[in-house]
């Protein structure tokens, strides 16, 4: 009986270590795919002569989008409305600018009251 109990614990410990190793391997594979795709994107950007001007323009739009959303959320201009800061809302305001903030406000008011 003691031998069976000991083997059961050993089998459980082996299953746990195998799960951990599979998760670690999966994260290594996903991380390497991310690094390779980022390097490919950088190579394409510099071959097309887009360069750093694209990154600075995108960064400025991203910061202005976040500032616009923070202003709407914390100014009290429209009470009871809050637009969360997530990739979808930041992306909308980055692409559309201030009309994007208006779009998000209109969707928030019309869909959620």
């Amino acid at each position: 009986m003691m031998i069976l109990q000991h083997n059961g614990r050993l089998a459980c410990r082996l299953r746990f270590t195998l799960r951990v190793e599979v998760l670690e391997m999966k994260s290594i594979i996903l991380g390497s795919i991310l690094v390779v795709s980022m390097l490919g994107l950088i190579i394409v950007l510099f071959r097309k002569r887009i360069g750093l001007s694209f990154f600075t323009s995108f960064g400025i739009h991203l910061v202005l989008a976040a500032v616009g959303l923070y202003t709407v959320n914390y100014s009290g201009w429209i009470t009871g409305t809050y637009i969360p800061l997530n990739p979808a809302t930041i992306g909308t305001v980055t692409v559309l600018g201030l009309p994007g903030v208006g779009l998000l406000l209109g969707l928030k008011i019309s869909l959620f009251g």
Side-chain angles (χ1 to χ4, degrees), residues 71-94:
T71 302
V72 168
N73 285 337
Y74 298 114
S75 69
W77 180 48
I78 299 176
T79 57
T81 58
Y82 175 76
I83 301 172
L85 292 175
N86 57 33
T89 57
I90 292 286
T92 302
V93 178
T94 299

Side-chain angles (χ1 to χ4, degrees), residues 2-88:
M2 282 295 271
I3 296 172
L4 282 175
Q5 190 176 18
H6 178 69
N7 287 340
R9 288 183 190 161
L10 184 63
C12 182
R13 197 174 300 153
L14 282 175
R15 273 186 263 141
F16 178 72
T17 56
L18 287 175
R19 284 184 188 161
V20 170
E21 288 176 3
V22 167
L23 288 175
E24 288 175 358
M25 189 61 127
K26 190 184 262 188
S27 64
I28 289 171
I29 290 171
L30 289 176
S32 62
I33 289 172
L34 177 69
V35 168
V36 168
S37 63
M38 285 186 65
L39 287 174
L41 177 65
I42 290 171
I43 289 170
V44 167
L45 284 175
F46 283 116
R47 272 200 185 158
K48 296 287 184 182
R49 304 273 189 233
I50 295 173
L52 295 177
S53 66
F54 171 76
F55 289 120
T56 56
S57 173
F58 182 74
I60 289 171
H61 284 169
L62 194 67
V63 168
L64 289 176
V67 167
L69 288 175
Y70 273 120
T71 302
V72 168
N73 285 337
Y74 298 114
S75 69
W77 180 48
I78 299 176
T79 57
T81 58
Y82 175 76
I83 301 172
L85 292 175
N86 57 33

